[in-house]
Amino acid sequence: MGKREVPGIRKYDAPAGGWGALKATAQAVHEQMQVVEAPIVLMRTNQPTGFDCPGCAWPDKEHRSTFQFCENGAKAVTWEATSKRVTPEFFAQHTVTDLLRLSDYELENFGRLTHPMAYDPTTDKFREVSWDAAFERIGQVLRGLETPDQAEFYTSGRASNEAAYLFQLFAREFGTNNFPDCSNMCHEATSVGLPQSIGIGKGTVSLDDFEKTELIISMGHNPGTNHPRMMGTLHEAARRGVPIIVFNPLKERALERFADPQNVIEMATFSSTAIASTYFQVRAGGDAAALKGIMKALLELEVGQGNVLDRDFIAVHTEGFDALVADLAKTPWALIEKECGLTQSQLEQVAQAYARSNATIITYGMGLTQHNTGTWNVRLIADLLLMRGNIGKPGAGICPLRGHSNVQGNRTVGITEKPSEEFLGKLEEIFGFKPPKEHGHDAVQTMQAMVEGRSKALICLGGNFAVAMPDPELAFPAMKQLDLSVHLGTKLNRCHLLVGKETFILPVIGRTELDMQASGAQSITVEDSMSMVHASAGRLRPASQFLRSEPAIVAGMAAATLKGSKTDWMRLVDDYDRIRELIERTIPGFDDYNERIRVPGGFRMPLPPTERQWPTPSGKAVFSVFPGVSENYLPWEDDVLRLITIRSHDQYNTTIYGLDDRYRGVFGRRDVLFMHPSDLAARGLEHGDLVEIETISKLGKGRNLRLPGITVIEYDIAPGSVAAYYPEANVLVPLDYIDEECGTPSYKSIPVRVLRQEPQPVAQAA
Ligand SMILES: Nc1nc2c(c(=O)[nH]1)N[C@H]1C(S)=C(S)[C@@H](COP(=O)(O)OP(=O)(O)OC[C@H]3O[C@@H](n4cnc5c(=O)[nH]c(N)nc54)[C@H](O)[C@@H]3O)O[C@H]1N2
Ligand SMILES: Nc1nc2c(c(=O)[nH]1)N[C@H]1C(S)=C(S)[C@@H](COP(=O)(O)OP(=O)(O)OC[C@H]3O[C@@H](n4cnc5c(=O)[nH]c(N)nc54)[C@H](O)[C@@H]3O)O[C@H]1N2
Ligand SMILES: [Mo]
């Protein structure tokens, strides 16, 4: 830490978890909820008879464990179950122009939306509208478009399987495959990369595998904040003596030391458990090179000692191995070292640990996927695992950490801009309409179409699309050009306020709340990171009596839009079993859906690679060759840094719960840039200096993408890499700076320069 005192920046020495987490939970409850209800609600999180935590997609032990404590799960739950309300009276008091001046934190912190609202341009305010009038008008505008492809149907991954299925059905019967979704900004590299390698775009491990594994390699994710329940699993593994090798440019506290709040002794003695056995501070975007280095070292070990590769597995189950070997042979160590910032001997050390382990799991998150090489990164992880047969055996496999709690389920039930022929054929057979065949827009293509005025209507099933996307300089005006925007949401956010000619905010029943329909209380279903599908039923009284469920709202819009539809939309909503019957008839793997979700814990979707069956065109797992640690990989001059955008501990994507990032030692502010001391020195900067971040001009293509007013702070981060918070730093991400293969924005490898900003002279008193 630098010498100078910087407001809000101080070292946090405690381990992750522990008493600090308990204190923060109590605070979240106190700020958002009536205290009497809170403990009861929290106790029902992830219980067989309760609701699925909206916080993350990490599974629970068959959903039968005792209450799993989780600070950030508690924040997600209390944020939704808050007693604060945004009513028609609230909207009557504020113009949209005024509300747009407030921060993302302030907007959501006003509380839960209570009534359907429509924007009125004459007053610049939202006014109450009836559900029927809203649906009718939405239907009219949609039917009035020149082609259905002028409409975009966005999904944020919190929607249930039932809501998402109806949403895709609505859009496809309307006539488009335009399904931008949060997955396009998140794990698309997994969805596109893994099927090429192993035939399916999902992880292959279960919680049982973590109990049997001998080595965990953790790449590019921050579970202490984003998948806190995973910390229990890592903690157990570490205490069993399983080595955990971490690749992360930043030192993340939870990956160093964690005190499990469930562990009585650790809590009582203020002790903690070291998590990572080895911590490699790879440079941002350097994982492809590091993975190639580990594989190269593994091949060298094979030559030296033999018996390192699983030759039988490679022969029987894979193809393409020789090409991989040839490519690794000609990749020079010097290039690998330069591009990942790690040494040959460090990577050899990893190869040795990997060669010793009989069962290895590799876990990864946004640190791997949100790069222009994201899809390659994922396939290289698969390569490394395949070399020792680490897929389809106990204790081993690939473990992508999904984002939103049901983002994986949304994909499974048809939220994709690239539907298969088979799926479309089923829809035609069951619903009696001809679904469109042409592929639709993903998230970036949607925004580009909006910028260019080709898309006129945007319907959002949750989320905060324009704020989550790169490049607000283009995205925000594009929202305002729309003829129609519709937002299904729980809380007010900026995207709702970037109003088009007509804009509707439709408030929904949340995960924690009772969803009562004609046949009684309903459950919804979700699929977690490990492909377990299970039911979730909220119990709280909805935030307002005027709320409707997501399935009911989607059905309402569909019925009002599709006048000749053969589907009785409202009948489906009376009883969600009926929606699940349709899912079962359309999509493989949902056999006996309604029966199986009534069993506590639910069921697992089919995962052929776990049985060493590979649904690839050749029926084999495929080694892939990353041609280079490549051309446009690190083409920049020496003073260019790689900017990573990350989440703080007090945030859920664009939802900001508070301004602290406790584990990283940042309190009450978010306007900081984390930088290595050597990079500070090279620029003549000191800890606490005011700087401006600028994306290199080549990427801006004539636009000057800048973020001024940032305080640079010294941090234990890989030299050459810097980090700032998302969404503030999105102004620096060009909309077209994406992984060409999967379309995901390179949110974690933006080439930037950091320049000193002279403080504004203080105005002299006259
Ligand atoms: N509380 C909370 N929970 C959440 C969310 C939230 O915002 N808040 N978001 C949810 C969602 S949608 C998602 S997708 C997940 C996100 O969960 P994570 O994948 O953990 O997301 P990030 O915060 O973006 O952190 C990525 C990590 O990758 C590291 N990293 C950055 N660049 C690189 C790189 O080039 N290489 C390597 N090896 N590491 C790198 C960063 O230092 C950071 O530790 O969490 C989900 N859960
Ligand atoms: N720079 C940068 N940008 C990023 C990322 C990054 O790491 N760096 N990460 C990307 C990732 S991984 C993701 S997933 C996206 C996230 O993008 P989104 O999913 O679009 O964003 P969220 O912030 O999760 O959406 C929050 C809003 O969802 C609504 N909401 C909450 N609960 C519910 C519910 O139950 N139902 C409905 N209908 N609405 C609800 C609320 O109104 C809330 O304001 O952002 C991406 N953007
Ligand atoms: Mo995500």
Side-chain angles (χ1 to χ4, degrees), residues 6-7 103 106 117 153 160 170 316-317 347 385 410 436 500 520-521 557 608 625 630 661 672 722 730 735:
V6 180
S103 69
E106 288 167 310
M117 306 295 296
F153 292 80
S160 62
F170 167 32
V316 177
H317 289 287
L347 297 171
L385 288 169
N410 289 179
M557 290 191 293
V625 174
S630 80
D661 192 7
V672 297
V722 287
N730 277 358
L735 183 59

PDB file of all heavy atoms in Angstrom, residues 6-7 103 106 117 153 160 170 316-317 347 385 410 436 500 520-521 557 608 625 630 661 672 722 730 735:
ATOM      1  N   VAL A   6      -5.374   7.655   1.389  1.00  0.00           N
ATOM      2  CA  VAL A   6      -6.379   7.934   0.363  1.00  0.00           C
ATOM      3  C   VAL A   6      -7.753   7.638   0.960  1.00  0.00           C
ATOM      4  O   VAL A   6      -7.971   6.561   1.498  1.00  0.00           O
ATOM      5  CB  VAL A   6      -6.136   7.060  -0.889  1.00  0.00           C
ATOM      6  CG1 VAL A   6      -7.177   7.352  -1.950  1.00  0.00           C
ATOM      7  CG2 VAL A   6      -4.731   7.264  -1.419  1.00  0.00           C
ATOM      8  N   PRO A   7      -8.684   8.608   0.871  1.00  0.00           N
ATOM      9  CA  PRO A   7      -9.988   8.410   1.510  1.00  0.00           C
ATOM     10  C   PRO A   7     -10.659   7.121   1.033  1.00  0.00           C
ATOM     11  O   PRO A   7     -10.728   6.859  -0.163  1.00  0.00           O
ATOM     12  CB  PRO A   7     -10.804   9.629   1.058  1.00  0.00           C
ATOM     13  CG  PRO A   7      -9.798  10.645   0.626  1.00  0.00           C
ATOM     14  CD  PRO A   7      -8.566   9.896   0.193  1.00  0.00           C
ATOM     15  N   SER A 103     -27.929   7.998  -9.438  1.00  0.00           N
ATOM     16  CA  SER A 103     -27.019   6.868  -9.693  1.00  0.00           C
ATOM     17  C   SER A 103     -27.818   5.569  -9.784  1.00  0.00           C
ATOM     18  O   SER A 103     -28.974   5.489  -9.361  1.00  0.00           O
ATOM     19  CB  SER A 103     -26.009   6.761  -8.558  1.00  0.00           C
ATOM     20  OG  SER A 103     -26.670   6.340  -7.381  1.00  0.00           O
ATOM     21  N   GLU A 106     -28.984   4.614  -6.371  1.00  0.00           N
ATOM     22  CA  GLU A 106     -30.149   5.360  -5.873  1.00  0.00           C
ATOM     23  C   GLU A 106     -31.440   4.877  -6.538  1.00  0.00           C
ATOM     24  O   GLU A 106     -32.471   4.723  -5.885  1.00  0.00           O
ATOM     25  CB  GLU A 106     -29.964   6.863  -6.128  1.00  0.00           C
ATOM     26  CG  GLU A 106     -28.913   7.489  -5.222  1.00  0.00           C
ATOM     27  CD  GLU A 106     -28.489   8.889  -5.676  1.00  0.00           C
ATOM     28  OE1 GLU A 106     -28.164   9.070  -6.871  1.00  0.00           O
ATOM     29  OE2 GLU A 106     -28.464   9.779  -4.825  1.00  0.00           O
ATOM     30  N   MET A 117     -46.726   0.807 -15.501  1.00  0.00           N
ATOM     31  CA  MET A 117     -46.617   2.234 -15.782  1.00  0.00           C
ATOM     32  C   MET A 117     -46.316   2.449 -17.270  1.00  0.00           C
ATOM     33  O   MET A 117     -45.646   1.634 -17.896  1.00  0.00           O
ATOM     34  CB  MET A 117     -45.460   2.847 -14.970  1.00  0.00           C
ATOM     35  CG  MET A 117     -45.493   2.622 -13.467  1.00  0.00           C
ATOM     36  SD  MET A 117     -46.882   3.387 -12.602  1.00  0.00           S
ATOM     37  CE  MET A 117     -46.606   5.114 -12.862  1.00  0.00           C
ATOM     38  N   PHE A 153     -36.096  -9.452 -28.416  1.00  0.00           N
ATOM     39  CA  PHE A 153     -36.626 -10.044 -27.186  1.00  0.00           C
ATOM     40  C   PHE A 153     -35.474 -10.416 -26.259  1.00  0.00           C
ATOM     41  O   PHE A 153     -34.840 -11.447 -26.432  1.00  0.00           O
ATOM     42  CB  PHE A 153     -37.497 -11.257 -27.529  1.00  0.00           C
ATOM     43  CG  PHE A 153     -38.776 -10.886 -28.249  1.00  0.00           C
ATOM     44  CD1 PHE A 153     -38.780 -10.623 -29.619  1.00  0.00           C
ATOM     45  CD2 PHE A 153     -39.972 -10.786 -27.552  1.00  0.00           C
ATOM     46  CE1 PHE A 153     -39.947 -10.252 -30.276  1.00  0.00           C
ATOM     47  CE2 PHE A 153     -41.156 -10.424 -28.203  1.00  0.00           C
ATOM     48  CZ  PHE A 153     -41.139 -10.158 -29.571  1.00  0.00           C
ATOM     49  N   SER A 160     -37.535 -17.663 -14.935  1.00  0.00           N
ATOM     50  CA  SER A 160     -37.718 -19.105 -14.740  1.00  0.00           C
ATOM     51  C   SER A 160     -37.767 -19.827 -16.082  1.00  0.00           C
ATOM     52  O   SER A 160     -37.950 -19.205 -17.133  1.00  0.00           O
ATOM     53  CB  SER A 160     -39.045 -19.333 -14.015  1.00  0.00           C
ATOM     54  OG  SER A 160     -40.114 -18.842 -14.825  1.00  0.00           O
ATOM     55  N   PHE A 170     -43.642 -16.966 -27.703  1.00  0.00           N
ATOM     56  CA  PHE A 170     -44.274 -15.705 -28.118  1.00  0.00           C
ATOM     57  C   PHE A 170     -43.480 -15.085 -29.289  1.00  0.00           C
ATOM     58  O   PHE A 170     -44.023 -14.794 -30.353  1.00  0.00           O
ATOM     59  CB  PHE A 170     -44.325 -14.785 -26.885  1.00  0.00           C
ATOM     60  CG  PHE A 170     -44.644 -13.332 -27.146  1.00  0.00           C
ATOM     61  CD1 PHE A 170     -45.485 -12.948 -28.186  1.00  0.00           C
ATOM     62  CD2 PHE A 170     -44.121 -12.346 -26.313  1.00  0.00           C
ATOM     63  CE1 PHE A 170     -45.782 -11.600 -28.407  1.00  0.00           C
ATOM     64  CE2 PHE A 170     -44.414 -11.005 -26.524  1.00  0.00           C
ATOM     65  CZ  PHE A 170     -45.237 -10.628 -27.585  1.00  0.00           C
ATOM     66  N   VAL A 316      -9.228 -43.826 -27.836  1.00  0.00           N
ATOM     67  CA  VAL A 316     -10.618 -44.282 -27.987  1.00  0.00           C
ATOM     68  C   VAL A 316     -11.591 -43.115 -28.137  1.00  0.00           C
ATOM     69  O   VAL A 316     -12.539 -43.179 -28.909  1.00  0.00           O
ATOM     70  CB  VAL A 316     -11.026 -45.150 -26.767  1.00  0.00           C
ATOM     71  CG1 VAL A 316     -12.489 -45.575 -26.851  1.00  0.00           C
ATOM     72  CG2 VAL A 316     -10.113 -46.355 -26.653  1.00  0.00           C
ATOM     73  N   HIS A 317     -11.360 -42.040 -27.368  1.00  0.00           N
ATOM     74  CA  HIS A 317     -12.406 -41.022 -27.231  1.00  0.00           C
ATOM     75  C   HIS A 317     -12.163 -39.706 -27.956  1.00  0.00           C
ATOM     76  O   HIS A 317     -13.034 -38.839 -27.919  1.00  0.00           O
ATOM     77  CB  HIS A 317     -12.620 -40.726 -25.740  1.00  0.00           C
ATOM     78  CG  HIS A 317     -13.283 -41.838 -24.998  1.00  0.00           C
ATOM     79  ND1 HIS A 317     -14.619 -42.122 -25.155  1.00  0.00           N
ATOM     80  CD2 HIS A 317     -12.796 -42.757 -24.145  1.00  0.00           C
ATOM     81  CE1 HIS A 317     -14.932 -43.168 -24.399  1.00  0.00           C
ATOM     82  NE2 HIS A 317     -13.838 -43.573 -23.781  1.00  0.00           N
ATOM     83  N   LEU A 347       4.896 -22.696 -14.914  1.00  0.00           N
ATOM     84  CA  LEU A 347       3.928 -23.498 -15.669  1.00  0.00           C
ATOM     85  C   LEU A 347       4.297 -24.983 -15.604  1.00  0.00           C
ATOM     86  O   LEU A 347       3.419 -25.850 -15.581  1.00  0.00           O
ATOM     87  CB  LEU A 347       3.827 -22.994 -17.111  1.00  0.00           C
ATOM     88  CG  LEU A 347       3.297 -21.552 -17.216  1.00  0.00           C
ATOM     89  CD1 LEU A 347       3.417 -21.020 -18.638  1.00  0.00           C
ATOM     90  CD2 LEU A 347       1.850 -21.438 -16.734  1.00  0.00           C
ATOM     91  N   LEU A 385      -7.840 -30.858 -20.102  1.00  0.00           N
ATOM     92  CA  LEU A 385      -8.527 -31.935 -19.374  1.00  0.00           C
ATOM     93  C   LEU A 385      -8.506 -33.236 -20.171  1.00  0.00           C
ATOM     94  O   LEU A 385      -8.275 -34.315 -19.622  1.00  0.00           O
ATOM     95  CB  LEU A 385      -9.967 -31.516 -19.058  1.00  0.00           C
ATOM     96  CG  LEU A 385     -10.101 -30.449 -17.963  1.00  0.00           C
ATOM     97  CD1 LEU A 385     -11.520 -29.901 -17.910  1.00  0.00           C
ATOM     98  CD2 LEU A 385      -9.706 -31.013 -16.595  1.00  0.00           C
ATOM     99  N   ASN A 410     -32.479 -20.966 -19.093  1.00  0.00           N
ATOM    100  CA  ASN A 410     -33.065 -20.166 -20.174  1.00  0.00           C
ATOM    101  C   ASN A 410     -32.619 -20.704 -21.525  1.00  0.00           C
ATOM    102  O   ASN A 410     -33.421 -20.834 -22.454  1.00  0.00           O
ATOM    103  CB  ASN A 410     -32.657 -18.693 -20.052  1.00  0.00           C
ATOM    104  CG  ASN A 410     -33.324 -17.976 -18.877  1.00  0.00           C
ATOM    105  OD1 ASN A 410     -33.078 -16.811 -18.637  1.00  0.00           O
ATOM    106  ND2 ASN A 410     -34.164 -18.672 -18.132  1.00  0.00           N
ATOM    107  N   PRO A 436     -39.710 -18.969 -37.556  1.00  0.00           N
ATOM    108  CA  PRO A 436     -38.699 -18.453 -38.483  1.00  0.00           C
ATOM    109  C   PRO A 436     -37.421 -19.286 -38.380  1.00  0.00           C
ATOM    110  O   PRO A 436     -37.061 -19.719 -37.299  1.00  0.00           O
ATOM    111  CB  PRO A 436     -38.450 -17.044 -37.966  1.00  0.00           C
ATOM    112  CG  PRO A 436     -38.847 -17.086 -36.526  1.00  0.00           C
ATOM    113  CD  PRO A 436     -39.954 -18.073 -36.427  1.00  0.00           C
ATOM    114  N   GLY A 500     -38.147   5.330 -24.991  1.00  0.00           N
ATOM    115  CA  GLY A 500     -38.349   5.508 -26.425  1.00  0.00           C
ATOM    116  C   GLY A 500     -39.627   6.290 -26.658  1.00  0.00           C
ATOM    117  O   GLY A 500     -40.137   6.954 -25.754  1.00  0.00           O
ATOM    118  N   GLY A 520     -54.085 -22.378  -7.963  1.00  0.00           N
ATOM    119  CA  GLY A 520     -53.441 -22.319  -6.641  1.00  0.00           C
ATOM    120  C   GLY A 520     -52.029 -21.764  -6.724  1.00  0.00           C
ATOM    121  O   GLY A 520     -51.637 -21.168  -7.726  1.00  0.00           O
ATOM    122  N   ALA A 521     -51.266 -21.983  -5.638  1.00  0.00           N
ATOM    123  CA  ALA A 521     -49.897 -21.454  -5.578  1.00  0.00           C
ATOM    124  C   ALA A 521     -49.003 -22.213  -6.561  1.00  0.00           C
ATOM    125  O   ALA A 521     -49.088 -23.434  -6.653  1.00  0.00           O
ATOM    126  CB  ALA A 521     -49.356 -21.603  -4.163  1.00  0.00           C
ATOM    127  N   MET A 557     -49.019 -10.436 -23.052  1.00  0.00           N
ATOM    128  CA  MET A 557     -48.525  -9.732 -24.250  1.00  0.00           C
ATOM    129  C   MET A 557     -48.753 -10.599 -25.489  1.00  0.00           C
ATOM    130  O   MET A 557     -49.136 -10.096 -26.549  1.00  0.00           O
ATOM    131  CB  MET A 557     -47.024  -9.434 -24.117  1.00  0.00           C
ATOM    132  CG  MET A 557     -46.708  -8.369 -23.079  1.00  0.00           C
ATOM    133  SD  MET A 557     -44.976  -7.819 -23.158  1.00  0.00           S
ATOM    134  CE  MET A 557     -44.092  -9.277 -22.644  1.00  0.00           C
ATOM    135  N   PRO A 608     -24.245 -36.165 -21.686  1.00  0.00           N
ATOM    136  CA  PRO A 608     -23.565 -37.332 -22.264  1.00  0.00           C
ATOM    137  C   PRO A 608     -22.059 -37.404 -21.961  1.00  0.00           C
ATOM    138  O   PRO A 608     -21.570 -38.502 -21.684  1.00  0.00           O
ATOM    139  CB  PRO A 608     -23.837 -37.196 -23.767  1.00  0.00           C
ATOM    140  CG  PRO A 608     -25.055 -36.333 -23.857  1.00  0.00           C
ATOM    141  CD  PRO A 608     -25.055 -35.442 -22.664  1.00  0.00           C
ATOM    142  N   VAL A 625      -6.784 -26.647 -31.858  1.00  0.00           N
ATOM    143  CA  VAL A 625      -5.483 -25.999 -31.933  1.00  0.00           C
ATOM    144  C   VAL A 625      -5.700 -24.499 -31.977  1.00  0.00           C
ATOM    145  O   VAL A 625      -6.354 -23.988 -32.880  1.00  0.00           O
ATOM    146  CB  VAL A 625      -4.729 -26.469 -33.191  1.00  0.00           C
ATOM    147  CG1 VAL A 625      -3.445 -25.682 -33.356  1.00  0.00           C
ATOM    148  CG2 VAL A 625      -4.441 -27.956 -33.088  1.00  0.00           C
ATOM    149  N   SER A 630      -1.729 -15.284 -30.244  1.00  0.00           N
ATOM    150  CA  SER A 630      -1.983 -14.890 -31.632  1.00  0.00           C
ATOM    151  C   SER A 630      -1.636 -13.482 -32.059  1.00  0.00           C
ATOM    152  O   SER A 630      -1.208 -12.658 -31.279  1.00  0.00           O
ATOM    153  CB  SER A 630      -3.448 -15.072 -31.932  1.00  0.00           C
ATOM    154  OG  SER A 630      -4.131 -13.959 -31.411  1.00  0.00           O
ATOM    155  N   ASP A 661     -16.186  -2.412  -1.177  1.00  0.00           N
ATOM    156  CA  ASP A 661     -15.649  -3.650  -1.751  1.00  0.00           C
ATOM    157  C   ASP A 661     -14.667  -4.158  -0.699  1.00  0.00           C
ATOM    158  O   ASP A 661     -13.453  -4.009  -0.827  1.00  0.00           O
ATOM    159  CB  ASP A 661     -14.958  -3.337  -3.087  1.00  0.00           C
ATOM    160  CG  ASP A 661     -14.635  -4.594  -3.883  1.00  0.00           C
ATOM    161  OD1 ASP A 661     -15.061  -5.686  -3.463  1.00  0.00           O
ATOM    162  OD2 ASP A 661     -13.949  -4.476  -4.919  1.00  0.00           O
ATOM    163  N   VAL A 672     -12.306   3.980  -8.609  1.00  0.00           N
ATOM    164  CA  VAL A 672     -10.879   3.677  -8.459  1.00  0.00           C
ATOM    165  C   VAL A 672     -10.375   2.776  -9.584  1.00  0.00           C
ATOM    166  O   VAL A 672     -11.147   2.097 -10.251  1.00  0.00           O
ATOM    167  CB  VAL A 672     -10.589   2.983  -7.104  1.00  0.00           C
ATOM    168  CG1 VAL A 672     -10.931   3.898  -5.950  1.00  0.00           C
ATOM    169  CG2 VAL A 672     -11.335   1.665  -6.988  1.00  0.00           C
ATOM    170  N   VAL A 722      -4.708  -3.685 -15.343  1.00  0.00           N
ATOM    171  CA  VAL A 722      -5.352  -2.785 -14.389  1.00  0.00           C
ATOM    172  C   VAL A 722      -6.823  -3.193 -14.290  1.00  0.00           C
ATOM    173  O   VAL A 722      -7.331  -3.875 -15.178  1.00  0.00           O
ATOM    174  CB  VAL A 722      -5.247  -1.299 -14.810  1.00  0.00           C
ATOM    175  CG1 VAL A 722      -3.839  -0.778 -14.615  1.00  0.00           C
ATOM    176  CG2 VAL A 722      -5.700  -1.092 -16.256  1.00  0.00           C
ATOM    177  N   ASN A 730     -17.817   0.761 -18.521  1.00  0.00           N
ATOM    178  CA  ASN A 730     -18.325   0.366 -19.845  1.00  0.00           C
ATOM    179  C   ASN A 730     -18.166   1.447 -20.904  1.00  0.00           C
ATOM    180  O   ASN A 730     -18.197   1.145 -22.092  1.00  0.00           O
ATOM    181  CB  ASN A 730     -19.793  -0.068 -19.745  1.00  0.00           C
ATOM    182  CG  ASN A 730     -19.912  -1.509 -19.292  1.00  0.00           C
ATOM    183  OD1 ASN A 730     -18.901  -2.180 -19.096  1.00  0.00           O
ATOM    184  ND2 ASN A 730     -21.123  -1.978 -19.131  1.00  0.00           N
ATOM    185  N   LEU A 735     -18.309  -1.064 -28.660  1.00  0.00           N
ATOM    186  CA  LEU A 735     -19.382  -2.032 -28.917  1.00  0.00           C
ATOM    187  C   LEU A 735     -18.926  -3.174 -29.815  1.00  0.00           C
ATOM    188  O   LEU A 735     -19.366  -4.306 -29.661  1.00  0.00           O
ATOM    189  CB  LEU A 735     -20.591  -1.305 -29.547  1.00  0.00           C
ATOM    190  CG  LEU A 735     -21.834  -2.144 -29.826  1.00  0.00           C
ATOM    191  CD1 LEU A 735     -22.382  -2.792 -28.558  1.00  0.00           C
ATOM    192  CD2 LEU A 735     -22.926  -1.291 -30.479  1.00  0.00           C
TER     193      LEU A 735
END
